[in-house]
Amino acid sequence: AEYENILVEQREAVTLITLNRPKALNALNAQVLADLIAALAAFDADASQGCAVLTGSEKAFAAGADIKEMAEMGFADMYGTDHFAGYERITATRKPVIAAVAGYALGGGCELAMMCDFILAADTAKFGQPEIKLGVSPGMGGSQRLVRAVGKAKAMEMCLTGRMMEAEEAERAGLVSRVVPAADLVEEAVKTAATIAGMAPLAVKANKEMVNAAFETGLAQGIQFERRLFHALFATMDQKEGMAAFVEKRAGNWTGR
Ligand code: HXC
């Protein structure tokens, strides 16, 4: 298959998917989503493939949802189409997907990494939910998954201040399984994926399913709740201001409206 914004490569039983919008730091637009969903569905359906690795570039796993695509959207665009609900289809993949994160994993990028089954981080990785700086909030599960991954205190601080968490802190907090030198990241992720791909396929599916069952109780409602509020923020003037300010490279001027 041909994809516009990702590269897909098979290394024996491992499917390596690389986000490939380098000029926008892999910002997640509608085409990236369509490509990712198609590639993961093809991976899931291909009996020769046992585990996938999702990675970005050295500089950015993904710097978030595409702010330029969202800047002019309002509540009707967001709620009317249930914008970003499509990303949840990534979690429907029944075989494991490992996120290999180097550089920025911000906003939707952090949320995308957390949708994978676990995160392997380069020592250069930086995680954050900076949406509040744009006058909005996480909208792809971040407020729910981050709390479950690192606990309320760190998640709340990160969502309210937008500060980034470096790889070492992320490992200590339980957001990532391991930190490896940046130069070894993809190789190490592919090696780990190959180990998984070498296990019994049904056991792999069952293990993934049961670990997720422990993690997800109540999650669906949490995500639904988050998405409605995220959409509602697109009815505010501060969302327009925050995103316009980003595009114009200046500080936001909030009105609280
Ligand atoms: C669109 C983006 C982008 C984004 C970066 N770019 N992030 N475009 N959407 N999320 C673009 C920049 O506009 C710029 O394009 C180019 O990528 C390089 O970025 P720079 O800012 O010049 O790079 P740098 O100075 O190194 O700073 C890196 C950065 C910064 C700290 C990651 O780009 C940044 O703060 N990005 C936004 C992070 C963010 O707020 N993410 C959350 C998005 S909201 P030009 O054309 O100028 O070269 C979100 C909502 C999630 O994710 C909720 C539902 C999904």
Side-chain angles (χ1 to χ4, degrees):
E2 283 293 315
Y3 301 107
E4 272 178 49
N5 287 299
I6 62 173
L7 304 170
V8 181
E9 184 190 329
Q10 292 189 349
R11 297 200 185 167
E12 298 184 350
V14 174
T15 300
L16 175 62
I17 301 174
T18 307
L19 299 170
N20 189 31
R21 277 190 85 200
K23 282 187 195 137
L25 302 184
N26 291 331
L28 305 167
N29 63 10
Q31 188 59 48
V32 176
L33 171 64
D35 284 358
L36 262 180
I37 286 171
L40 285 170
F43 154 69
D44 227 13
D46 184 342
S48 77
Q49 299 297 292
C51 190
V53 172
L54 176 60
T55 195
S57 68
E58 267 172 46
K59 182 165 182 196
F61 176 74
D66 191 320
I67 298 169
K68 289 162 192 171
E69 197 178 74
M70 290 185 294
E72 295 308 318
M73 289 186 186
F75 176 78
D77 305 305
M78 283 284 163
Y79 182 76
T81 63
D82 209 359
H83 205 76
F84 294 126
Y87 274 97
E88 278 304 311
R89 280 163 63 188
I90 287 164
T91 63
T93 310
R94 296 192 66 210
K95 295 176 200 165
V97 183
I98 303 172
V101 174
Y104 297 109
L106 300 179
C110 185
E111 297 174 290
L112 176 61
M114 290 191 291
M115 273 183 223
C116 297
D117 294 298
F118 61 92
I119 302 173
L120 208 62
D123 49 15
T124 58
K126 292 178 188 63
F127 300 89
Q129 298 291 161
E131 291 94 336
I132 193 162
K133 296 187 193 170
L134 301 168
V136 294
S137 72
M140 281 166 55
S143 67
Q144 307 301 300
R145 289 196 176 91
L146 195 60
V147 172
R148 283 164 169 78
V150 305
K152 183 188 165 188
K154 275 185 192 290
M156 187 69 92
E157 189 199 344
M158 286 173 74
C159 287
L160 290 180
T161 66
R163 86 159 169 95
M164 293 182 212
M165 196 189 262
E166 309 248 330
E168 192 198 329
E169 184 184 1
E171 185 184 23
R172 234 186 303 129
L175 179 60
V176 310
S177 68
R178 278 188 292 138
V179 179
V180 300
D184 305 337
L185 176 70
V186 172
E187 189 192 335
E188 192 58 39
V190 169
K191 204 173 109 191
T192 305
T195 300
I196 295 167
M199 304 293 178
L202 294 179
V204 169
K205 282 184 174 149
N207 275 272
K208 167 168 170 163
E209 208 167 13
M210 69 184 71
V211 173
N212 278 335
F215 191 70
E216 282 175 4
T217 314
L219 184 63
Q221 298 93 311
I223 285 170
Q224 191 77 348
F225 187 71
E226 173 196 88
R227 204 181 303 130
R228 296 296 172 246
L229 285 175
F230 173 76
H231 295 162
L233 290 168
F234 280 76
T236 67
M237 287 162 60
D238 280 349
Q239 172 268 330
K240 295 285 170 304
E241 167 60 13
M243 293 193 175
F246 174 86
V247 172
E248 292 158 22
K249 303 185 188 292
R250 58 176 176 80
N253 190 5
W254 311 124
T255 58
R257 309 294 294 191

